[in-house]
Amino acid sequence: MVALVWLSRVNYLLFHSLVELFAVVVGTCLFLIAWHSRHRIQNGYLLFVGMAYLWVSLIDLVHTLAYSGMGVFPKAGANLPTQLWIAARTTEASALVGGAFFADTRRVRPGLVFMGYGIATAVLLFLIAIGEFPDCYLEDRGLTPFKKSMEYLISGVLAAAVGLLWKRSSSFSRFSFRLVLWSIVLTIFAEISFTFYISVFGFSNLVGHIFKFASFFLIYLALVRTAFEEPVKILFAELKRREEDLSAERDRLQEALSQVRTLEGLIPICAGCKRIRCDEGYWQEVEVYVRDRTPADFTHSLCPDCAARLYPELHLDRSNRTDPEKGES
């Protein structure tokens, strides 16, 4: 950080280019990891954010080339890179808040997210190219109200992303969660810093880029470095969550098994009416007692002995009609 600040005083264009290119490299690496692991990654946050960050990196690259003094777009002035900055940060903020909705699920279609952000990026770049994107910086007045409003709006969206991620912290490892969270917070600080600068080479602009560098450095530590150095370690706590799901399923099975086992052992039953005394001390019918403790249910009929005792006339009539010695059928 000290070296970057010193470099900004020696050659601001070089400082700006290094910071922006570092963000471009980190964002591209994040996309490559997410894309080539999309069939194995179980966390929707990394999938969603990874698909979007390639396009964020693309806009940041164009922003770097268009910066005042680079000479790539000599007639553009300071308005073009400022417009590209707003386009990149809007795309990034939408990716971070959108990914937070999928942090605890894998129901993400990477190809669809990739195409959606690609189309959105093409539209933004086209509007900027034809001059239909609102002005963000005017040489005689500095930052426009639109640019400042967008910075505050982007900060609000990023704050919402922090809140959503906080509720889904169990979907991340503790290490990754803290770094991702602080990365978003630093991005908010960067956006606020960019609402104060008067010149694209001013102090507030410098502070904003320092915050951006720190933000992407934390993303690098949380996601990219871990993926390269510890490929066996899951970035997000998928194994832990699966273990918790298996534990919960085991508890449900044990509970069901314990309900079945309540019929084992000594069961107090009346010798006369055959009712069973339950744990609460009440006497219940056998079918009620069994039905409350097992998945079984009862149907009612009469055995031959009970039929003869309760309905003797019907039993005798049936016996006469089926007695083979009388030769009757």
Side-chain angles (χ1 to χ4, degrees):
M1 291 301 215
V2 174
L4 285 175
V5 173
W6 173 83
L7 183 61
S8 69
R9 301 179 65 86
V10 175
N11 190 324
Y12 194 90
L13 280 180
L14 180 57
F15 157 79
H16 178 267
S17 298
L18 289 178
V19 171
E20 293 295 341
L21 290 177
F22 175 75
V24 170
V25 171
V26 172
T28 304
C29 288
L30 185 59
F31 162 75
L32 292 174
I33 292 171
W35 179 258
H36 291 291
S37 305
R38 64 189 183 279
H39 300 300
R40 296 185 299 273
I41 295 177
Q42 298 297 318
N43 189 285
Y45 182 82
L46 181 57
L47 281 174
F48 193 99
V49 172
M51 295 301 104
Y53 261 57
L54 178 68
W55 303 108
V56 176
S57 299
L58 175 63
I59 303 176
D60 275 340
L61 179 61
V62 180
H63 162 78
T64 305
L65 298 176
Y67 206 74
S68 298
M70 292 293 289
V72 180
F73 303 99
K75 298 181 180 180
N79 186 44
L80 176 60
T82 310
Q83 290 175 318
L84 290 167
W85 172 270
I86 290 297
R89 302 288 73 77
T90 302
T91 306
E92 182 183 10
S94 67
L96 292 172
V97 75
F101 283 103
F102 296 94
D104 52 1
T105 179
R106 194 186 181 279
R107 291 179 297 180
V108 177
R109 299 177 64 181
L112 187 61
V113 176
F114 180 77
M115 290 178 57
Y117 273 94
I119 294 173
T121 300
V123 171
L124 288 173
L125 293 178
F126 178 74
L127 292 176
I128 294 174
I130 65 175
E132 294 298 325
F133 196 89
D135 290 329
C136 294
Y137 186 92
L138 299 176
E139 299 296 340
D140 56 340
R141 288 185 295 175
L143 298 179
T144 65
F146 170 79
K147 199 269 185 183
K148 293 183 179 181
S149 300
M150 286 300 299
E151 296 285 16
Y152 288 123
L153 177 61
I154 292 169
S155 299
V157 173
L158 292 172
V162 171
L164 290 171
L165 284 178
W166 192 271
K167 295 180 179 180
R168 294 164 173 81
S169 59
S170 59
S171 300
F172 299 80
S173 68
R174 181 176 298 180
F175 175 78
S176 297
F177 175 72
R178 290 178 177 177
L179 292 180
V180 170
L181 209 63
W182 275 109
S183 172
I184 299 176
V185 172
L186 290 177
T187 304
I188 295 175
F189 290 163
E191 297 306 311
I192 295 176
S193 298
F194 282 117
T195 62
F196 295 109
Y197 74 84
I198 300 176
S199 168
V200 292
F201 302 101
F203 178 75
S204 295
N205 193 288
L206 165 66
V207 172
H209 279 94
I210 290 293
F211 279 132
K212 179 180 180 179
F213 179 85
S215 171
F216 273 84
F217 183 71
L218 293 183
I219 287 290
Y220 164 77
L221 292 178
L223 304 179
V224 178
R225 189 190 67 171
T226 305
F228 282 120
E229 292 186 355
E230 303 178 33
V232 179
K233 181 179 179 181
I234 304 300
L235 298 181
F236 302 99
E238 291 300 327
L239 293 179
K240 180 180 179 181
R241 188 169 62 179
R242 290 184 181 184
E243 182 181 356
E244 292 175 352
D245 293 341
L246 289 175
S247 178
E249 185 65 25
R250 182 189 61 192
D251 293 340
R252 287 193 293 268
L253 291 175
Q254 288 181 344
E255 182 180 359
L257 184 60
S258 64
Q259 292 178 354
V260 174
R261 289 178 174 175
T262 55
L263 299 184
E264 295 181 356
L266 297 176
I267 300 177
I269 185 170
C270 176
C273 65
K274 306 302 181 185
R275 291 186 178 183
I276 297 177
R277 188 179 66 204
C278 66
D279 298 335
E280 291 78 14
Y282 299 103
W283 291 90
Q284 297 177 325
E285 301 291 342
V286 174
E287 56 266 33
V288 174
Y289 186 87
V290 175
R291 184 183 59 202
D292 291 344
R293 289 161 175 78
T294 69
D297 207 343
F298 286 85
T299 61
H300 293 83
S301 183
L302 290 172
C303 67
D305 294 338
C306 291
R309 179 171 57 83
L310 296 175
Y311 305 102
E313 65 283 357
L314 296 178
H315 180 72
L316 291 175
D317 180 65
R318 180 178 297 177
S319 299
N320 293 333
R321 286 188 284 112
T322 58
D323 191 348
E325 295 181 358
K326 296 182 180 182
E328 298 178 357
S329 59

